[in-house]
Amino acid sequence: MPAEPIAMLPVAQLYAGDVPSLRPPAGADLLQVLWCPFSHENELTLRTRLYWRAGGEITDFLAGQPEPEAVQSKYFVPNVCRLHPEPVIEYPAPDPTEGIDSTLSRALREWGEAQHYQDLADAFYSSQLSVAPGCKVGGWAPWSRTDAVALACTACGAPMDPLLTIASREWAGDGYSWIPHEDQNAPDGYPRAHEPTGLMLGDADNQQLFICSADPTHGHAALCL
């Protein structure tokens, strides 16, 4: 860890006009997400900062992305990517906290068996239909390390909603239904199609950011999922 302060790195820049579900505070239409490229103590997530801004007021642009002065790992430095947001439909994970009770879970298993997915009947819904993997805005959080938990804003007590998933991989395992058509036959090069950002967080984990559902200026929470 450097003794002197270092600049945080940009992770994402999102405009509300491109991402209707962003829900910025009044007067803002741009979200900029930065993080520290060093892990701190025993924290599982990298420390993040959110900046809500009015895009029309930004007039001083950088000609290029500055090289970071120091980083703990190259895997904490995202590749420069141009985003092409695409809405998708996803459903909650098969977890009671997310609204999937035992009766519905049993019905989903039976449905999985009917799809000739007997060996992994429980996984058919969760891997092919429920929570979309990869980097995304909003949607359902990709709970995997722990069971789903409800988070409350520390400022006002309102429920916190998923804001941004920063993923190590866009897809993995048998979740073939989430692979974009243009990537299904992508050549095996670098960066690989399912790892376009070049990030690797923990054991191919996700850093999930949550935000207050009542007021996005109340701060955010970050979990490793």
Side-chain angles (χ1 to χ4, degrees), residues 13 24-25 27-32 51-60:
Q13 177 168 278
D29 63 353
L30 170 65
L31 171 63
Q32 295 175 323
Y51 295 92
W52 297 99
R53 308 180 69 180
E57 297 177 357
I58 301 175
T59 57
D60 186 14

Side-chain angles (χ1 to χ4, degrees), residues 70-86:
V71 298
Q72 180 177 341
S73 168
K74 67 177 183 179
Y75 296 117
F76 294 166
V77 183
N79 294 330
V80 177
C81 301
R82 174 166 291 185
L83 304 181
H84 301 277
E86 178 181 358

Side-chain angles (χ1 to χ4, degrees), residues 95-180:
D95 185 284
T97 304
E98 303 285 60
I100 306 295
D101 59 22
S102 58
T103 300
L104 184 52
S105 293
R106 184 166 54 253
L108 290 171
R109 177 181 175 80
E110 293 172 354
W111 184 58
E113 293 173 347
Q115 310 308 310
H116 305 290
Y117 215 71
Q118 288 88 344
D119 292 340
L120 294 170
D122 287 325
F124 181 78
Y125 170 77
S126 59
S127 65
Q128 307 301 329
L129 294 173
S130 63
V131 180
C135 298
K136 63 184 180 181
V137 176
W140 296 92
W143 299 98
S144 59
R145 283 182 170 271
T146 66
D147 293 336
V149 296
L151 300 180
C153 175
T154 57
C156 69
M160 300 194 81
D161 295 332
L163 170 67
L164 178 66
T165 305
I166 306 170
S168 298
R169 294 171 176 163
E170 292 303 296
W171 67 85
D174 59 353
Y176 56 83
S177 68
W178 296 110
I179 303 175

